Amino acid sequence: MPLGRQATLTGLLKGGSSSGAGSSAGNGSGSGSGDGGGVPFVKKWPKFTKEDFEEANTLLATAIYCCNLPMTIIEHPDFLKFIYGVAPWMQGKLIGRKALATTMLDKVYGMTRKEVQQFLDKQEFVATSTDAWSSEHNAGAHVLNVNAMANGTSVFLDMVFTGADSHTGNYIATQAQLMLYKNDPDKIGANATAVAATLTGGGLTKQVKRLPFKDQLGQQGTLETLSEEEANFVEALSDTLHQLNEMFLEKEENSVIRVERLEHELAAATAPEQLNALHKDFVDFHGEVLLLVHWSILAYTATVKILKKHHKRTGLLVKAPQLGDLLSQPFCSTELMTSIAHRVEEDIQHLARLKRS
């Protein structure tokens, strides 16, 4: 390739001259750009191997999966126009919709699963959270998800379809236990679960089902004209949020006291057996802290789920005092617990250095 002429993403050669002699303006004998004579731009595709095309299709498929785009986008005329405009050499090499939904999906899943496992292998301990949910359009599609959290990073671990007939607390707990054992249980310091079930599977859900539908309220349907069912629901919701706040604040206070005590013991520890015992105590405590953080997230999610069910049924907004700013509720504020988790992680690293010295 002549010096100064480079292939762009579209494969067009641009810039520079065909020789080192420069150009002669107006006589067409030299090289140049624009409409003056010289060597014209020539399409010259870069040379790609089969592996290059496979990598390009893999990156494209991964972007489609991660952005939650419909797989039909791969056949959309405007999308194809964009792809071929940026990379014309992909014509005839672009992945098809069938492969995108089958072999490529399996490949990307395998790659992602491997990355997650490598991440978990590097962690000394993790905390997990489990949650079961059902499809709004298919009551039989019950799913149990398990996620792991380490060093502030949350990753998806596993899922199982429980089926309509097996959507019971005992069955879900058994499946969660099996999945945890399958994912190196020795590293799991804590697991958070069942908070959503406690809120949505109990009295609150039953009270929502007693409320009239929005099309039954008529023109005069307001919170004031609804019977006592609405007032009972608001009262029950307020009591539940109050209980969540009290429990969280108590555990938060105990966590502050406990981390101070452990760090005081760490400052005075010198013997190897003391350091080993403290290491276990710090790891256990770290798992409990992450458990409380996960609990907070699940409690918030469950509360929002209940409110959505209420609004979908009645079309009304709940006038509970705690809902003015739900995220400001104590059980939704995890900044202190998150800072304690990071603080304990630093203490564990310090302990590890002391044990090596």
Side-chain angles (χ1 to χ4, degrees):
M1 182 183 297
L3 182 64
R5 295 173 62 77
Q6 300 176 344
T8 67
L9 287 176
T10 58
L12 296 178
L13 298 176
K14 293 184 178 180
S17 60
S18 59
S19 67
S23 62
S24 299
N27 60 13
S29 60
S31 66
S33 59
D35 295 333
V39 179
F41 292 162
V42 179
K43 286 187 176 181
K44 185 177 181 181
W45 309 132
K47 293 182 178 180
F48 294 107
T49 64
K50 180 180 178 181
E51 290 73 20
D52 292 330
F53 288 116
E54 178 68 18
E55 181 181 3
N57 280 319
T58 301
L59 292 173
L60 175 60
T62 303
I64 292 176
Y65 302 146
C66 292
C67 296
N68 201 26
L69 299 174
M71 296 186 188
T72 53
I73 194 174
I74 204 68
E75 297 176 346
H76 196 285
D78 288 332
F79 184 77
L80 294 176
K81 184 177 179 181
F82 165 72
I83 293 295
Y84 296 148
V86 174
W89 50 84
M90 288 299 293
Q91 295 192 46
K93 303 294 184 179
L94 191 66
I95 187 173
R97 179 179 173 184
K98 182 177 180 180
L100 187 66
T102 53
T103 54
M104 181 59 75
L105 183 60
D106 292 338
K107 175 184 176 181
V108 173
Y109 173 79
M111 293 167 53
T112 305
R113 181 76 186 186
K114 184 177 180 180
E115 291 178 8
V116 170
Q117 192 59 53
Q118 290 175 344
F119 167 77
L120 293 176
D121 289 343
K122 296 178 182 178
Q123 310 306 316
E124 186 174 2
F125 48 83
V126 297
T128 60
S129 65
T130 58
D131 188 23
W133 55 274
S134 57
S135 169
E136 179 180 355
H137 306 291
N138 184 0
H142 300 288
V143 180
L144 174 64
N145 284 336
V146 179
N147 301 295
M149 182 175 182
N151 295 327
T153 301
S154 180
V155 294
F156 170 76
L157 271 185
D158 212 338
M159 69 182 298
V160 62
F161 290 91
T162 64
D165 298 332
S166 302
H167 195 60
T168 63
N170 183 56
Y171 181 83
I172 290 174
T174 301
Q175 292 300 314
Q177 186 177 23
L178 290 175
M179 284 192 286
L180 294 179
Y181 273 110
K182 189 170 66 175
N183 291 279
D184 196 357
D186 293 335
K187 287 189 175 184
I188 299 174
N191 178 65
T193 186
V195 176
T198 301
L199 287 176
T200 62
L204 288 177
T205 297
K206 293 179 180 178
Q207 291 199 22
V208 169
K209 292 180 178 179
R210 297 192 188 106
L211 297 173
F213 289 99
K214 53 187 175 183
D215 56 355
Q216 297 174 336
L217 297 177
Q219 296 293 331
Q220 303 300 321
T222 64
L223 281 174
E224 288 72 26
T225 60
L226 283 178
S227 58
E228 59 181 308
E229 284 85 355
E230 179 70 25
N232 292 337
F233 173 79
V234 173
E235 182 179 0
L237 179 61
S238 299
D239 290 342
T240 300
L241 296 179
H242 179 69
Q243 293 173 13
L244 294 176
N245 284 331
E246 281 193 339
M247 183 170 66
F248 183 83
L249 288 173
E250 180 181 357
K251 290 183 176 296
E252 189 178 58
E253 181 180 359
N254 291 337
S255 296
V256 172
I257 296 174
R258 189 171 174 186
V259 71
E260 294 286 351
R261 178 178 61 81
L262 286 173
E263 290 181 340
H264 179 73
E265 294 178 4
L266 175 59
T270 55
E273 56 272 13
Q274 291 178 309
L275 296 177
N276 289 332
L278 276 174
H279 185 271
K280 183 179 182 302
D281 291 341
F282 269 106
V283 170
D284 291 342
F285 176 57
H286 182 268
E288 294 176 16
V289 171
L290 292 184
L291 175 64
L292 186 58
V293 173
H294 284 196
W295 178 90
S296 172
I297 296 171
L298 289 175
Y300 170 78
T301 303
T303 303
V304 172
K305 184 176 181 181
I306 280 289
L307 295 175
K308 285 184 177 179
K309 285 186 175 183
H310 174 275
H311 185 263
K312 181 178 179 181
R313 186 177 181 92
T314 67
L316 301 172
L317 299 177
V318 181
K319 293 184 177 179
Q322 295 92 338
L323 300 181
D325 188 0
L326 181 60
L327 288 176
S328 68
Q329 291 297 307
F331 78 90
C332 293
S333 304
T334 61
E335 290 82 2
L336 177 58
M337 296 306 299
T338 302
S339 66
I340 291 178
H342 292 315
R343 180 175 167 183
V344 173
E345 289 167 6
E346 294 177 357
D347 290 332
I348 292 174
Q349 294 174 359
H350 176 60
L351 256 171
R353 289 191 294 268
L354 289 177
K355 290 170 65 176
R356 288 195 299 265
S357 61

